[in-house]
Amino acid sequence: MVASRELPSEGVIKVWARLLRAQRVALTGVEADLKTAGVPPLAWYDVLFELKKAGEGGLRPVELEGRLLLEQHNISRLVDRLVVAGHVHRRPCPTDRRGQVLTLTETGRKILRTMWPVYAGAIQRHVGSKIGTDEDVRALSLLLERLMSTRER
Amino acid sequence: MVASRELPSEGVIKVWARLLRAQRVALTGVEADLKTAGVPPLAWYDVLFELKKAGEGGLRPVELEGRLLLEQHNISRLVDRLVVAGHVHRRPCPTDRRGQVLTLTETGRKILRTMWPVYAGAIQRHVGSKIGTDEDVRALSLLLERLMSTRER
DNA sequence: TCCATTTTAATGCAGATGCATCTATAATGA
DNA sequence: TCATTATAGATGCATCTGCATTAAAATGGA
């Protein structure tokens, strides 16, 4: 892979530094807002939201892994905590006896409803209010999407 | 604060999601490259680099705190590890007997030199090669900078 | 079929982080 | 001056993450 031996330009290095820093600033701000409001942390929202999107059929841990980009052991323990808290139901998978199927419980659904207004306000406060026009929002969205892609340009 | 009660637009929510994800993808990629090369993690580089920039006079932990945006207790322990590893020298601060002054040791300088080529390659691989033109780099840099600012727009 | 390989999930252990608290010193100000 | 308050840094404890390993089940040939 030739490109991997190239050195980054000054501009790229700056983008890297700012990506780390902007994310950290925004994330710690949002997490702090959640904590202040007395609701669970972001990771819980992520799991619950994926399960809600998945609907009736629920999701298997291995599917969560792919969607949240978390390691297998982290999913395993995160789900543990959510099960203990009563927000997620875990039952054996009918088609694969190694696996399990996760679904939302009623309290899980309730947590999502409780968290969203807080979360949305935090996103607006720590991200939305910092960016300018809709056009800037679109531009940033597009550029960030490229960063996530696996292919080079 | 009125803006804090506004709800984020669809676009802003997407930016938030992509900011988290793009950063996670890039960061885990870079950390993995460092590990593969057998060099210390990013956090070590950050501290050592700040100390290098600070030069002769070194830095106090409280200054590192501001520059790296880490909590006081995290700085305290991170520095501990670097001192134990022999990369950082810690001596009492002459002007404030509560404090201390941190400077690079020779092996600390060496670690920086060893890490940079690996780190630079990783940045190019996981960030640089994903973005297109220099203009895109500039645009992304500018937009990310806005996110870090404390003021709203 | 049978065996090697791969996939799914859990877990023990070490390392890192968040939170609250503690000690020592410095700064403030009556 | 002395008492109050603020700041610098360390640390105990709980939680969370990373890493390696393990167990069980599924898959894919020969």
Side-chain angles (χ1 to χ4, degrees):
Chain A
M1 200 194 294
V2 174
S4 64
R5 287 202 201 85
E6 280 171 24
L7 288 185
S9 67
E10 283 297 314
V12 166
I13 295 173
K14 185 148 278 185
V15 163
W16 163 250
R18 288 181 177 179
L19 177 67
L20 291 189
R21 189 162 281 242
Q23 192 265 8
R24 186 176 322 183
V25 169
L27 180 60
T28 60
V30 168
E31 289 277 22
D33 285 3
L34 295 182
K35 176 152 308 195
T36 299
V39 299
L42 225 47
W44 286 33
Y45 189 89
D46 290 340
V47 171
L48 297 176
F49 188 64
E50 287 300 330
L51 290 181
K52 185 192 167 198
K53 280 196 293 186
E56 288 297 309
L59 280 181
R60 296 188 47 183
V62 68
E63 296 174 298
L64 269 180
E65 206 178 316
R67 298 178 198 212
L68 300 183
L69 302 185
L70 293 178
E71 313 277 333
Q72 179 268 319
H73 57 266
N74 286 330
I75 293 287
S76 178
R77 278 153 170 156
L78 182 50
V79 167
D80 267 355
R81 288 170 235 144
L82 284 162
V83 168
V84 168
H87 303 326
V88 167
H89 180 66
R90 173 157 52 183
R91 63 185 162 78
C93 175
T95 64
D96 184 340
R97 281 160 57 200
R98 293 169 303 184
Q100 41 190 245
V101 176
L102 309 171
T103 49
L104 276 186
T105 64
E106 199 39 60
T107 84
R109 249 179 289 275
K110 185 163 167 246
I111 290 286
L112 273 177
R113 284 195 299 270
T114 308
M115 285 185 78
W116 177 240
V118 179
Y119 189 13
I123 293 174
Q124 178 58 20
R125 194 158 32 252
H126 298 287
V127 177
S129 73
K130 305 289 181 68
I131 325 180
T133 63
D134 285 0
E135 193 169 344
D136 286 341
V137 170
R138 268 195 302 280
L140 182 51
S141 192
L142 226 72
L143 288 165
L144 288 173
E145 190 190 21
R146 285 203 206 143
L147 282 187
M148 299 185 301
S149 81
T150 41
R151 87 168 187 291
E152 304 183 1
R153 342 189 97 234
Chain B
M1 201 194 294
V2 174
S4 64
R5 286 202 202 84
E6 281 171 21
L7 288 185
S9 67
E10 283 298 315
V12 166
I13 296 174
K14 184 148 279 183
V15 163
W16 163 250
R18 288 180 177 180
L19 178 66
L20 290 189
R21 188 163 282 243
Q23 192 266 7
R24 187 178 319 186
V25 168
L27 180 60
T28 60
V30 169
E31 289 277 22
D33 285 2
L34 295 183
K35 176 152 308 199
T36 299
V39 299
L42 226 46
W44 285 33
Y45 189 89
D46 291 339
V47 171
L48 297 176
F49 188 63
E50 288 299 331
L51 290 181
K52 185 193 168 197
K53 279 195 295 186
E56 289 296 309
L59 280 181
R60 296 187 47 182
V62 68
E63 297 174 297
L64 269 180
E65 206 178 316
R67 298 176 198 211
L68 301 183
L69 302 185
L70 293 178
E71 315 276 331
Q72 179 267 319
H73 58 265
N74 286 330
I75 293 288
S76 178
R77 276 152 171 157
L78 182 49
V79 168
D80 267 355
R81 286 170 237 143
L82 284 162
V83 169
V84 168
H87 304 326
V88 168
H89 180 66
R90 173 158 51 183
R91 62 185 163 81
C93 176
T95 65
D96 183 342
R97 279 161 56 200
R98 294 168 302 184
Q100 42 191 243
V101 177
L102 310 172
T103 49
L104 276 186
T105 64
E106 200 39 61
T107 83
R109 249 179 288 275
K110 186 165 166 240
I111 290 285
L112 274 177
R113 285 195 299 270
T114 308
M115 284 185 77
W116 177 242
V118 180
Y119 189 13
I123 293 174
Q124 177 59 18
R125 193 157 33 252
H126 298 287
V127 177
S129 73
K130 306 288 181 68
I131 325 180
T133 64
D134 285 0
E135 193 169 345
D136 286 342
V137 170
R138 269 194 301 279
L140 182 51
S141 192
L142 227 72
L143 288 164
L144 288 173
E145 189 190 22
R146 285 202 206 143
L147 282 187
M148 298 185 301
S149 81
T150 41
R151 87 170 188 288
E152 304 183 1
R153 341 189 97 236

